[in-house]
Amino acid sequence: MITATAKLRMYRQMLLIRRLEERVAEMYGEQAIGGFTHLYIGQEAVATGAISALNHDDYVIGTYRDHGHFLAREGDPKKFMAELFGRETGICHGKGGSMHLADMENYFFGGTGIVGGSMPIAAGLGLACSYREDDRIVMSFFGDGATNQGVWHEALNFAKIWNLPVIFVCENNFYGIGTDVRLSSSLTEVYKKASGYGMPGYRVNGMDVLEVRKLCDDVVKHVRAGSGPALIEARCYRYQGHSMTDPGRYRARAEEDLWRKRDPIPRLARTLLEEGIASEERLQELDAEIEEICDAAVEFAQESPMPSPSALYDHVFSERYPSDPHA
Amino acid sequence: MITATAKLRMYRQMLLIRRLEERVAEMYGEQAIGGFTHLYIGQEAVATGAISALNHDDYVIGTYRDHGHFLAREGDPKKFMAELFGRETGICHGKGGSMHLADMENYFFGGTGIVGGSMPIAAGLGLACSYREDDRIVMSFFGDGATNQGVWHEALNFAKIWNLPVIFVCENNFYGIGTDVRLSSSLTEVYKKASGYGMPGYRVNGMDVLEVRKLCDDVVKHVRAGSGPALIEARCYRYQGHSMTDPGRYRARAEEDLWRKRDPIPRLARTLLEEGIASEERLQELDAEIEEICDAAVEFAQESPMPSPSALYDHVFSERYPSDPHA
Amino acid sequence: MREIRYYEALIEAMAEEMRLDDDVFLMGEDIGLFGGTFRATEGLMAEFGSRRVRDTPIAEAGIVGLAMGAALAGLRPVPELMTMNFAIVAMDQIINHVAKMHYMFGGQFQVPLTIRAPGGGGTQKGAQHSHSIESWFVNAPGIRVVIPSTPYDAKGLLKTSIRCNDPVLFIEHEMLYSSVGPVPEGEYLIPLGEADVKRPGSDVTIVAWSKMVLEALRAAEILAGEGIEAEVLDPRTLDPLDWNAIMTSVARTRRCVVAEEGWRNVGVGAEIAARLQEQLFHELDAPVLRVGAANVPLPYSKDLEQAALPHAEDIVQAVLKITT
Amino acid sequence: MREIRYYEALIEAMAEEMRLDDDVFLMGEDIGLFGGTFRATEGLMAEFGSRRVRDTPIAEAGIVGLAMGAALAGLRPVPELMTMNFAIVAMDQIINHVAKMHYMFGGQFQVPLTIRAPGGGGTQKGAQHSHSIESWFVNAPGIRVVIPSTPYDAKGLLKTSIRCNDPVLFIEHEMLYSSVGPVPEGEYLIPLGEADVKRPGSDVTIVAWSKMVLEALRAAEILAGEGIEAEVLDPRTLDPLDWNAIMTSVARTRRCVVAEEGWRNVGVGAEIAARLQEQLFHELDAPVLRVGAANVPLPYSKDLEQAALPHAEDIVQAVLKITT
Ligand SMILES: Cc1ncc(C[n+]2csc(CCOP(=O)(O)OP(=O)(O)O)c2C)c(N)n1
Ligand SMILES: Cc1ncc(C[n+]2csc(CCOP(=O)(O)OP(=O)(O)O)c2C)c(N)n1
Ligand SMILES: [Mg+2]
Ligand SMILES: [Mg+2]
C-alpha cells in the first residue's frame, strides 16, 4: 500500500527532475554546461519509483544518464547544477560533470560513462553488503543497450552464484543512442534474460511511477530477506535525444507521440486529483516551489567559483608521495 | 545413419588422439616439451564425433586444450609433435606450442590461450560465412568455465542477432582448472544458457562418440540450412590433470573412477565388435598402425631442427617496413 | 585544390575502398542509421546497405573479436570504436588476439583488419571518454598504429591501412573531425612509416602527431616571431615509426621537442627522447624536452581540462628553454 | 635471518593483514581449494574460510569490478589475476574505473584495492601468458604500481599495499615465486616510492626491477670481473617512482643502463632515460642505454623465447658500450 504522502512525494520528485533538466537543457544551450549531457526526461518514473522503495543507506549506482537517480537519491539540486557548470561547489568539485555525478552522503556511487562498466561494481557493492551481513541492498540502473556488454553477463552470474542482494534495474527505452533494441539484443524482452542466470525477472510499466514502486516494494522485500539478486525491466521512453547533440532522426514521430501521451507526471497528477490527495491549487504551489528550487540552483551554480588551478592534481590519489607530480 | 566406415574412422581417430597424447605426456616428462600443456585424454569423443560431422572446409576454432581438435581436423601428427617440441618443422614453426596449434590447410583457427577469447572470433568466422553466402559453417569448442566470461555472452548475442552459422560446443568436464562448475556458473546445465539468447540448446553424452555424431549431424544440417546458431553441451571428463603440472587434488577418487568406466574408446570398440564392423585382429592392427604413427611423429620431432635465431622477427607482421626491428 | 573536412576525407577513403573491394565492410555502434557519432560514416549505409555497414550492439570486445574472425577468414573489416577509451574494453581482443595471431600461428593466417577510433580531449567529456593511449599500442608489437593530423593524410593513410594485410589501429581525434584541408579529387595512397614535414625549420625540431601537429604549427608561428625557425615533423604513423626522418631532422637542428596529447609520463615521446640521446648523444645541443598531458585523469571542468591538456604555449615554453 | 620463498612471503603478508583486519579478503581464480596456480594463496582458505578466500568464475573484468565495488563500500579486497596477460581482459575496469573513480568523483570515495598478478616469461608459455606490461599502468595515472624483486620486498610492500587507501597493482613474476631470500620473523612494512640499492657501485647505475634485478646482479658480478663496479638500483615501485634515488645515483656514476623485461620500445626505461637526459644532460658521460624484451610477441620455442627476453649478458653488453 502506497500512502498519500508517498504519492505526493513521488510527484514532487518527478517534477523536480523534469524542471531541473529543462534548466539543464537551457543552460547547455547557453554553453554554461558542456561535455556529454544526457537528459532523463520521460523516464522520471523509474528512478523515482524504484529508489523510493529503498532505505537511505542502501547502495545505488547508475550510468552517465544519472541526473534522475542523483536527484531521486535526494542529491542537492545546487551541488548538482554547480557540478554541471564545472564549479568548485559541484558535488564532485567540477571533476565529474553530468556523466559522473556521485554522492557519498546519499550512497549514490555514480555516474559511470562506460556502458556496462557499472555492472560488476554494483555486484561488488552487493558483495560488501553480504560480506558484512548488514541488511543493505544494492540497486543498479542501466539501459537496454548495456545488457549486451560482456561485464553485464559476468555481473549477473557473480550476483547469482554468491547470492548477492542486488536488484538490477534495466531502463528499457528501446534505443541505445540510435540503435533499436531489436537490432542489438537477441532477447528484446530484457527481463527474460534473467532466465540465463536462474534469476527472477520482472517487467513493469516504467511510465507509471506507482506500478514501479509497487513492484519494487515487493522485490526489495525479497532481496533484503536474502532471496538473492533479481532483474527488473522497466519499459520507458526518453523524450529528448540521446544526448544534447542528438537530432534523433531514428525514431518515428508516431512512436514519440504515443509515448508522450504516457507522460508519467500528468498521469500521477490525475491520480492525485482523482484520489483527492492534492487539489489543483496544491499542484500549482508545488510547481512554484520547484521553480524556486531551480532558480536557486542555477543562481548558486552561476555565482560559484571555478575550481582553482591547483585542484588539477587533487584526488588523483588520496595519499601522496614526494615523487607524485606537484605533490 | 552412421556408416560402418565412419564408425571405424572415428575409433581410429580417438585412438590416435589418445596414444599421441600419451606420448606427449611422456615427452613432457623428458622435458622435450615445455610451457603449459593440456591433455584431452578422456574427452576424445567430443572433438572426434563433432568434427566428423563437418565438411573439410568448414571452420573450426578451439582453446589451449586443442590437441584433439587439431588431430580430429586431420592435422599432421608429425607437425603436431614437432610444434610441441618447438621445432622449425612444427605446424606453427615452433612459435605456438601446445596451446596455439593452428592449421590453415584444415581450416583450424587454433588454439587460443585466453579463456573465452576465441568466442567472438568464432562468431566472426561465422560472419564471414554469412557475408559471403558460402555454405560453410563454424564449430567453436570451449569449456564450461568459458561460459562465465563476458565475451562468451557477446559472441552468442552477436551470433543470434545476425543469424550466423555457428555451432557453439561446450565441453563440460565439470571443472575449470580446480573449480567445480557449481561454484562458478549460475546455470550448471550449460545448454540451458542458450535460452538467454533465444537459441536452441542441446545436451549430449560427450563420452559416447556415436551420440555426439548423431546430434551434430542433425544440428549441422539445420545450421547449414540457415536456422542460425546453436549451443551444444557435451558432458565429458578429462582423465588427467588440468595441465601437466596439476596434481588434481580437487576431484573425488570415486568420481574419477565412475567416469573412467565411461571411457569412449573401449565403449566404441565394444560396439564395433558387437556390430561385426571390426574383429579383435583388426583392432589390434589399428593399435599397431597408430603406434607407428606415434613413433614416426616423435622421431620426426626429435630430428627436426630448432628454429633459426633469425626467425624471431618473422611473422610479427606479414608486411615489413624499413623501420621495423631487424627488417 | 578543393578543401574538405577530416571526417569527409575518412568517408571518401572508406567509400572508395568499399567500391573497389567487396571484402571491405564496416561495423560499429551507430555507424549506420545514425551515421556515426562523429559523422565519419555518414551516407555509407545509404550507398552500401546493412550488409556492408553493420550497426552492432554495445560490445567492444565482441566488435573487435568478430572483425578479427572475419579477417582471419580473408575479409577486410573496418570496425569503428566510438572512442579510444572504449577500445580499452576490447583491449584483450586487440592485444592478446589481433596483434598476436599472425605471429603465434607462425604466419599461417593474416589479420587484415583496420580498427578506427578517435582519441583526444578538449570537449569536457571527462575521465572516461577523452584519453590518448597510443603509447600502449606502440609498446605492444603486432599492430600498426596510424594517427593522421590532416584530411589529406587521413584519406591517404586510411586507404593504405584498409589495404594493409596486417592489423592497423587507426587513431582519429574528436577535435580534428571538422578541420578543413586540401584533398585532391580521386585516388591516392600514403605509405605507412613516412613522416611528413608540416613546416620546415632550422633551429629546432618539433615532433608531433594528431591534434598536436596543429598546436605545434601554432607554436612555430609564435616562435618565428621570436626569430626561432622550428621544423614541425609529423610521423603520421607510430608503428612503423620513421626514425630516419626524425634522426635526420634533429641531427640538423640539434634540438628537439616532442609534443603528444597522451600522458607525458611513459608516452611515445619518452621513446623518441630516449632514442635521440642514444643515437645523437654528441650532436644534441640541449636535452630533448617533451610536452604532454598532465599526469591526471581528464577533469570535466573546462579550465581544469584545458590545464591538463598540452597546448602551443607549452611547446613554445619548451622550445625557449632549449634555444635560449 | 630465516630464508623463505617469494610466494611464502606473499602468503605471510596476506595472512597477517587478514588477521589484523576483517575487511581484507581475497578473490580470484583457483586461489582457494586449489591453492593458487603459483601457490601464492596456499593454506589461506584453510585458515580463513570461503568467506574471505573466494574462488571466482573465470571473468577477470568481473573479478576486478566486484573488488572495486567492495572497495568503494570500504572493504579492502585483494583480487588475484592469474597472469598480467589476463589483466588485459580487465583493462577497462582497471583503467577506466579503478584508477579514475577517486578523481572523477572529486575525492568522495576511496578505492583501497590491491590487484595481484604475475607477469613475465621464461617458461615457454607463449604469446598470451608471458608479457610484462607495467608500462601501461605507469602511463595511466590513478593506480600505484608495485613490483618487488625479493621475498623481503614482496612481503613488506604487499602489506603496505593492502593498507594503502588507493588502488595498487601489485606485479609479481612467475620466475620469482620459488626464489629464496631472508625475511625477518614478524611484522614490518616497506613504504611505497623508496628505491633500494641492491648492490652499491661507483662506475655505472643499473636501474632494474622485478626479475631483471637478478639479471642485473648477475651482470654486476660479471662486470666486477672486468673491473667495473655497477650499482644496482631497484625502484621496487614504479608509481610512485623514486626519482630522487635514481637522479642521485646517476649524478654520481654519470652512466646508466635501465633493464626491464617488458618490451623496450616505449617501456618504463624510455621514461627513465628521457628524464635522465632532461635533468642530467651535462652530468652524463654517455647515453643512457636500455635493455628490454625484443619487439615481438613471446614465441613458444625455448631458444626463441630466450632470445626475445633480456638477460644479464645484454646488460653487460650495454654497460660495456658506455664504459669502455
Ligand atoms: C563501452 C562504451 N561503449 C560505447 C559508449 C557510447 N555510448 C554512450 S551511451 C550509449 C547507448 C547506451 O544505451 P542504453 O544502455 O540503452 O542506455 P540509454 O542511453 O538508452 O539510457 C553508447 C553506445 C560508451 N559510453 N561506453
Ligand atoms: C582470461 C583467462 N583467465 C584465466 C586463464 C587460466 N586458465 C586456463 S584454462 C582455465 C580453466 C578453463 O576451464 P574450462 O573453460 O572449463 O576449460 P577446460 O580447461 O576444463 O577444458 C583457466 C582459468 C586463462 N587462460 N585465460
Ligand atoms: Mg536505451
Ligand atoms: Mg572445464
Side-chain angles (χ1 to χ4, degrees):
Chain A
M1 224 297 281
I2 308 170
T3 66
T5 0
K7 288 178 184 171
L8 201 55
R9 200 181 300 112
M10 287 190 266
Y11 179 77
R12 190 177 185 291
Q13 185 57 259
M14 290 197 290
L15 199 62
L16 175 64
I17 297 170
R18 174 78 52 100
R19 297 280 172 265
L20 259 176
E21 280 205 316
E22 288 165 352
R23 296 299 184 96
V24 168
E26 195 184 320
M27 292 299 120
Y28 188 93
E30 295 176 12
Q31 287 167 19
I33 298 173
F36 271 140
T37 301
H38 309 80
L39 298 183
Y40 195 59
I41 291 177
Q43 304 181 205
E44 296 92 343
V46 183
T48 301
I51 289 173
S52 71
L54 296 175
N55 298 339
H56 172 257
D57 66 353
D58 286 329
Y59 297 145
V60 176
I61 185 168
T63 71
Y64 47 86
R65 194 179 303 284
D66 56 359
H67 302 170
H69 311 82
F70 173 87
L71 293 166
R73 215 42 194 153
E74 280 158 26
D76 178 344
K78 288 182 169 147
K79 293 180 176 174
F80 162 77
M81 194 60 77
E83 184 61 31
L84 271 61
F85 273 61
R87 304 302 166 109
E88 164 59 33
T89 55
I91 188 72
C92 301
H93 306 301
K95 291 232 168 88
S98 165
M99 292 196 288
H100 304 310
L101 299 169
D103 190 349
M104 200 162 115
E105 286 174 12
N106 292 311
Y107 304 97
F108 180 57
F109 292 81
T112 56
I114 302 296
V115 169
S118 62
M119 298 298 303
I121 299 172
L125 290 166
L127 172 57
C129 301
S130 124
Y131 187 89
R132 290 181 171 138
E133 292 169 352
D134 53 27
D135 75 346
R136 280 201 176 96
I137 68 169
V138 179
M139 201 174 264
S140 165
F141 294 88
F142 53 89
D144 45 286
T147 64
N148 305 310
Q149 191 69 283
V151 282
W152 188 88
H153 175 66
E154 298 181 13
L156 267 72
N157 185 58
F158 262 106
K160 176 62 184 179
I161 59 175
W162 287 354
N163 198 49
L164 304 178
V166 183
I167 302 174
F168 297 102
V169 182
C170 177
E171 304 195 43
N172 183 1
N173 59 12
F174 305 98
Y175 294 87
I177 302 188
T179 301
D180 189 312
V181 66
R182 285 165 298 188
L183 290 178
S184 65
S185 191
S186 48
L187 290 184
T188 52
E189 298 179 290
V190 173
Y191 75 99
K192 289 186 176 170
K193 295 193 181 193
S195 68
Y197 310 89
M199 194 186 289
Y202 309 91
R203 175 155 68 187
V204 66
N205 175 4
M207 307 303 279
D208 183 337
V209 71
L210 299 181
E211 281 194 27
V212 173
R213 170 63 178 270
K214 215 155 92 276
L215 174 65
C216 288
D217 277 338
D218 244 46
V219 177
V220 164
K221 186 147 52 44
H222 288 108
V223 172
R224 206 182 295 281
S227 71
L231 173 64
I232 294 176
E233 173 189 5
R235 300 203 147 195
C236 55
Y237 206 77
R238 65 168 155 75
Y239 290 164
Q240 310 298 319
H242 167 72
S243 73
M244 297 305 298
T245 54
D246 168 17
R249 284 192 224 76
Y250 45 84
R251 302 194 303 194
R253 198 88 185 70
E255 179 185 283
E256 295 194 14
D257 295 343
L258 176 69
W259 284 93
R260 282 185 192 285
K261 290 207 195 70
R262 303 172 177 165
D263 191 324
I265 296 177
R267 177 190 203 123
L268 181 55
R270 283 193 298 278
T271 313
L272 294 176
L273 295 169
E274 282 161 20
E275 299 183 354
I277 293 172
S279 63
E280 287 288 2
E281 298 62 41
R282 180 72 189 97
L283 295 187
Q284 277 153 21
E285 284 167 29
L286 265 177
D287 272 329
E289 277 177 47
I290 281 168
E291 281 308 318
E292 276 176 31
I293 295 175
C294 295
D295 293 339
V298 171
E299 206 169 297
F300 176 78
Q302 285 166 331
E303 289 170 359
S304 294
M306 283 293 178
S308 80
S310 73
L312 181 63
Y313 291 94
D314 296 340
H315 308 310
V316 177
F317 294 106
S318 63
E319 296 166 355
R320 288 215 167 167
Y321 292 89
S323 53
D324 286 332
H326 298 237
Chain B
M1 225 296 281
I2 307 170
T3 65
T5 359
K7 289 177 183 170
L8 201 56
R9 200 180 301 114
M10 287 191 269
Y11 179 77
R12 189 176 185 292
Q13 184 58 259
M14 290 197 291
L15 199 62
L16 176 65
I17 297 171
R18 175 77 52 100
R19 297 280 172 264
L20 259 177
E21 281 205 317
E22 287 164 353
R23 297 298 184 97
V24 169
E26 197 184 317
M27 294 298 120
Y28 188 95
E30 295 176 14
Q31 287 168 22
I33 297 173
F36 271 140
T37 301
H38 308 81
L39 298 183
Y40 194 59
I41 291 176
Q43 304 180 205
E44 295 92 341
V46 182
T48 302
I51 289 173
S52 71
L54 296 176
N55 297 340
H56 173 257
D57 67 352
D58 286 329
Y59 297 145
V60 177
I61 185 167
T63 71
Y64 48 86
R65 195 178 301 285
D66 56 359
H67 301 169
H69 311 81
F70 173 87
L71 293 166
R73 216 40 194 157
E74 281 158 26
D76 179 344
K78 289 183 171 147
K79 293 181 176 173
F80 163 76
M81 194 61 77
E83 184 62 29
L84 271 62
F85 273 60
R87 304 301 166 109
E88 162 59 33
T89 55
I91 187 72
C92 301
H93 306 303
K95 292 234 169 87
S98 164
M99 292 195 289
H100 305 310
L101 300 169
D103 189 349
M104 199 161 112
E105 286 174 11
N106 291 311
Y107 304 95
F108 180 56
F109 292 81
T112 56
I114 302 295
V115 169
S118 62
M119 298 298 303
I121 298 171
L125 290 166
L127 172 57
C129 301
S130 122
Y131 187 89
R132 290 182 171 135
E133 292 169 351
D134 53 27
D135 75 345
R136 279 200 176 95
I137 68 169
V138 179
M139 201 174 265
S140 165
F141 294 88
F142 52 89
D144 45 286
T147 65
N148 305 310
Q149 191 68 282
V151 281
W152 188 88
H153 175 66
E154 298 181 13
L156 267 72
N157 186 57
F158 262 106
K160 177 61 183 180
I161 58 176
W162 288 354
N163 197 50
L164 305 177
V166 182
I167 301 174
F168 297 103
V169 182
C170 177
E171 304 195 41
N172 182 0
N173 58 14
F174 306 98
Y175 294 87
I177 301 187
T179 301
D180 189 313
V181 65
R182 286 166 297 189
L183 291 178
S184 64
S185 191
S186 48
L187 290 183
T188 52
E189 297 179 291
V190 174
Y191 75 99
K192 290 187 176 168
K193 295 193 181 193
S195 68
Y197 309 89
M199 191 186 291
Y202 309 91
R203 174 154 69 187
V204 66
N205 174 5
M207 306 304 279
D208 182 337
V209 70
L210 299 181
E211 280 194 27
V212 173
R213 170 62 178 270
K214 214 156 92 278
L215 174 65
C216 289
D217 278 337
D218 244 45
V219 177
V220 163
K221 188 148 48 53
H222 288 111
V223 171
R224 206 182 293 283
S227 70
L231 173 64
I232 295 176
E233 173 189 5
R235 301 204 145 192
C236 53
Y237 206 76
R238 66 168 154 74
Y239 289 163
Q240 310 298 319
H242 167 72
S243 72
M244 298 305 298
T245 55
D246 168 17
R249 286 193 226 73
Y250 45 85
R251 300 194 304 194
R253 198 88 185 71
E255 179 186 284
E256 296 194 12
D257 296 342
L258 176 69
W259 284 92
R260 282 185 193 285
K261 291 206 195 71
R262 302 173 178 166
D263 192 325
I265 295 176
R267 177 190 203 123
L268 181 57
R270 284 193 297 276
T271 313
L272 294 175
L273 294 169
E274 283 160 21
E275 299 183 354
I277 293 171
S279 62
E280 288 286 3
E281 297 63 39
R282 181 71 190 97
L283 295 187
Q284 278 152 22
E285 284 167 30
L286 265 178
D287 273 330
E289 275 177 49
I290 282 169
E291 282 309 318
E292 274 176 33
I293 294 174
C294 295
D295 294 338
V298 171
E299 204 170 298
F300 176 79
Q302 286 166 331
E303 289 169 0
S304 293
M306 283 292 178
S308 80
S310 73
L312 181 63
Y313 290 95
D314 296 341
H315 309 310
V316 178
F317 294 107
S318 63
E319 296 166 355
R320 290 218 165 163
Y321 291 89
S323 53
D324 286 332
H326 297 238
Chain C
M1 199 189 300
R2 69 174 180 153
E3 303 225 319
I4 63 173
R5 294 183 187 285
Y6 189 96
Y7 80 85
E8 294 167 325
L10 295 170
I11 294 171
E12 279 193 1
M14 287 182 269
E16 288 176 16
E17 293 307 302
M18 289 173 82
R19 287 181 202 119
L20 286 170
D21 183 355
D22 183 71
D23 288 346
V24 178
F25 70 95
L26 316 180
M27 58 191 290
E29 296 158 11
D30 292 296
I31 65 167
L33 289 171
F34 193 76
T37 312
F38 302 106
R39 306 181 61 183
T41 52
E42 210 170 56
L44 294 178
M45 182 175 251
E47 176 174 356
F48 298 99
S50 57
R51 170 174 171 264
R52 300 184 65 192
V53 181
R54 310 179 74 99
D55 281 318
T56 68
I58 304 160
E60 284 73 15
I63 291 167
V64 173
L66 265 84
M68 164 87 189
L72 284 173
L75 296 178
R76 296 188 170 278
V78 185
E80 172 184 292
L81 300 176
M82 216 178 272
T83 78
M84 282 301 292
N85 274 79
F86 309 156
I88 302 177
V89 180
M91 203 67 191
D92 163 63
Q93 283 295 317
I94 299 172
I95 296 295
N96 283 328
H97 296 84
V98 167
K100 289 173 180 171
M101 285 272 179
H102 185 66
Y103 190 84
M104 82 186 189
F105 292 158
Q108 285 185 93
F109 298 98
Q110 292 183 325
V111 186
L113 175 65
T114 301
I115 301 169
R116 291 181 41 246
T123 57
Q124 288 188 262
K125 293 201 177 76
Q128 294 182 322
H129 282 71
S130 313
H131 291 118
S132 299
I133 51 173
E134 53 266 22
S135 60
W136 308 352
F137 301 93
V138 181
N139 172 244
I143 184 163
R144 299 302 187 183
V145 180
V146 177
I147 188 160
S149 64
T150 67
Y152 177 85
D153 293 347
K155 180 174 178 180
L157 285 167
L158 181 52
K159 286 169 66 75
T160 304
S161 300
I162 292 171
R163 295 186 193 186
C164 176
N165 289 319
D166 296 309
V168 175
L169 179 63
F170 190 91
I171 304 178
E172 301 158 11
H173 194 295
E174 288 188 26
M175 306 279 285
L176 289 178
Y177 282 117
S178 54
S179 64
V180 177
V183 174
E185 305 278 353
E187 153 132 352
Y188 66 95
L189 297 167
I190 299 174
L192 306 187
E194 287 189 14
D196 184 47
V197 175
K198 290 290 194 257
R199 173 189 174 119
S202 51
D203 301 333
V204 59
T205 302
I206 303 173
V207 180
W209 53 92
S210 192
K211 175 168 171 287
M212 290 310 289
V213 171
L214 276 58
E215 300 292 331
L217 289 170
R218 273 216 296 124
E221 283 302 325
I222 298 167
L223 289 162
E226 316 272 312
I228 298 168
E229 283 310 321
E231 175 150 296
V232 176
L233 188 67
D234 177 0
R236 301 194 293 191
T237 71
L238 298 175
D239 184 338
L241 185 52
D242 190 346
W243 286 110
N244 199 353
I246 295 173
M247 295 297 162
T248 312
S249 173
V250 177
R252 183 162 40 76
T253 62
R254 307 176 72 89
R255 290 180 169 81
C256 180
V257 168
V258 187
E260 66 191 309
E261 187 172 324
W263 293 295
R264 193 187 67 179
N265 191 46
V266 198
V268 176
E271 180 64 32
I272 294 173
R275 286 209 202 184
L276 281 168
Q277 60 92 41
E278 276 167 36
Q279 296 178 34
L280 301 178
F281 189 73
H282 298 292
E283 289 80 351
L284 285 170
D285 287 342
V288 178
L289 296 188
R290 296 167 296 144
V291 169
N295 203 22
V296 303
L298 269 190
Y300 162 76
S301 188
K302 194 185 190 70
D303 301 359
L304 287 181
E305 184 192 30
Q306 289 305 317
L309 293 171
H311 297 287
E313 294 64 29
D314 306 299
I315 299 173
V316 170
Q317 289 314 313
V319 168
L320 291 177
K321 263 215 202 83
I322 56 171
T323 47
T324 54
Chain D
M1 199 189 298
R2 70 175 179 152
E3 303 226 318
I4 63 174
R5 295 184 186 284
Y6 189 97
Y7 81 85
E8 294 167 326
L10 295 170
I11 293 171
E12 280 193 2
M14 287 182 270
E16 287 177 16
E17 293 307 302
M18 289 173 82
R19 289 181 200 119
L20 285 171
D21 183 354
D22 184 71
D23 287 346
V24 178
F25 71 96
L26 316 180
M27 58 192 289
E29 296 157 12
D30 293 296
I31 65 167
L33 288 171
F34 193 76
T37 312
F38 303 106
R39 306 181 59 184
T41 52
E42 210 171 55
L44 293 178
M45 183 175 252
E47 177 174 356
F48 298 99
S50 57
R51 170 175 170 264
R52 299 183 66 191
V53 180
R54 311 179 72 99
D55 280 318
T56 68
I58 304 160
E60 285 72 15
I63 291 167
V64 172
L66 265 83
M68 164 85 188
L72 284 173
L75 297 177
R76 295 187 172 279
V78 185
E80 171 183 292
L81 300 176
M82 217 178 271
T83 78
M84 282 301 292
N85 274 79
F86 310 156
I88 302 176
V89 180
M91 203 66 191
D92 163 64
Q93 283 295 317
I94 299 172
I95 297 294
N96 282 328
H97 297 84
V98 168
K100 291 174 180 172
M101 285 273 180
H102 185 68
Y103 191 84
M104 81 185 188
F105 292 157
Q108 285 185 92
F109 298 97
Q110 291 182 326
V111 185
L113 176 64
T114 301
I115 301 170
R116 292 180 42 246
T123 56
Q124 287 189 263
K125 294 204 176 76
Q128 294 182 322
H129 283 71
S130 315
H131 291 117
S132 299
I133 51 174
E134 53 266 23
S135 60
W136 308 352
F137 301 92
V138 181
N139 172 243
I143 183 162
R144 300 300 187 183
V145 180
V146 178
I147 189 160
S149 64
T150 66
Y152 178 84
D153 292 347
K155 180 175 179 180
L157 285 167
L158 182 52
K159 285 168 66 73
T160 303
S161 300
I162 292 170
R163 295 185 193 187
C164 177
N165 289 319
D166 296 309
V168 175
L169 178 63
F170 190 92
I171 303 178
E172 300 159 12
H173 193 295
E174 288 188 26
M175 306 279 285
L176 289 178
Y177 282 117
S178 53
S179 65
V180 177
V183 174
E185 304 278 354
E187 155 133 350
Y188 66 95
L189 297 168
I190 299 174
L192 306 188
E194 288 191 13
D196 183 48
V197 175
K198 290 289 193 259
R199 172 188 176 121
S202 51
D203 301 334
V204 59
T205 302
I206 303 173
V207 180
W209 54 92
S210 192
K211 175 168 171 287
M212 290 310 289
V213 171
L214 277 59
E215 300 292 330
L217 289 170
R218 274 214 297 125
E221 283 302 326
I222 298 166
L223 289 163
E226 316 271 311
I228 298 169
E229 283 309 321
E231 175 150 296
V232 176
L233 189 67
D234 177 0
R236 302 193 293 191
T237 71
L238 297 175
D239 185 335
L241 185 53
D242 190 345
W243 286 110
N244 202 349
I246 295 172
M247 295 296 161
T248 312
S249 173
V250 178
R252 182 160 41 73
T253 61
R254 308 177 74 88
R255 289 180 170 79
C256 180
V257 168
V258 187
E260 66 190 310
E261 186 172 325
W263 292 294
R264 194 186 67 177
N265 191 46
V266 197
V268 176
E271 180 65 31
I272 294 172
R275 287 210 201 184
L276 281 168
Q277 60 92 39
E278 276 168 33
Q279 296 179 33
L280 301 178
F281 189 74
H282 299 290
E283 289 80 352
L284 285 170
D285 287 343
V288 178
L289 296 188
R290 296 167 295 143
V291 169
N295 203 23
V296 303
L298 268 191
Y300 162 76
S301 189
K302 194 184 191 70
D303 301 359
L304 287 181
E305 184 193 30
Q306 289 304 317
L309 293 170
H311 298 286
E313 293 64 29
D314 307 299
I315 299 173
V316 170
Q317 288 316 312
V319 168
L320 291 177
K321 262 216 204 83
I322 57 171
T323 47
T324 52

